[in-house]
Amino acid sequence: MGLVGLVGVEVVGVDDTSIRVRLPIAARLMAPNGYLHAAAVVALADTACGFGCFLGLPEDSPGFTTIELKTNFLGTATAGTLDCEARRVHGGRTTQVWDAMVTGPGGRTIALFRCTQLLLAAR
């Protein structure tokens, strides 16, 4: 199974229950109002959580699908780099729950994100 994610995301750290990724802010990520598009922030957090879920799948699971996600936006940025740290907070037999924090320049919190992944059963 290949990983599909947001173009330009760099994985900067991985361990058993967390992953850190980075994304340079670029014009293609901006909304018409000139600020970072909310969907770009969600895509970064979801990509980080998805990579982490994929890396921690049970051997007999062929994959997963997102069944719920939520984002609280706390700020924005117009230049620099976005960093995202995602942590698995629940690793059950059928679901995983991931929390992610997206930060911008200076470590300012841009968004808090949570998603639930349904682990697919082996066929």
Side-chain angles (χ1 to χ4, degrees):
M1 177 170 127
L3 293 176
V4 176
L6 186 60
V7 172
V9 172
E10 174 190 4
V11 176
V12 295
V14 177
D15 66 32
D16 290 342
T17 60
S18 69
I19 185 166
R20 290 182 318 282
V21 300
R22 179 175 297 143
L23 178 67
I25 297 172
R28 65 185 169 77
L29 302 177
M30 297 301 174
N33 64 8
Y35 291 99
L36 193 58
H37 197 291
V41 177
V42 171
L44 178 62
D46 191 46
T47 296
C49 293
F51 282 0
C53 185
F54 177 78
L55 294 172
L57 284 175
E59 284 188 30
D60 63 341
S61 178
F64 66 93
T65 190
T66 302
I67 57 175
E68 186 269 340
L69 60 82
K70 178 187 185 337
T71 307
N72 291 100
F73 297 98
L74 307 174
T76 191
T78 57
T81 302
L82 295 176
D83 292 293
C84 179
E85 182 170 355
R87 296 194 165 280
R88 186 176 65 222
V89 295
H90 169 74
R93 289 182 299 124
T94 59
T95 61
Q96 289 186 11
V97 176
W98 285 79
D99 284 346
M101 180 185 297
V102 178
T103 56
R108 184 172 178 218
T109 302
I110 301 294
L112 302 173
F113 177 90
R114 173 169 273 193
C115 66
T116 304
Q117 311 290 13
L118 175 66
L119 305 182
L120 302 176
R123 293 180 182 205

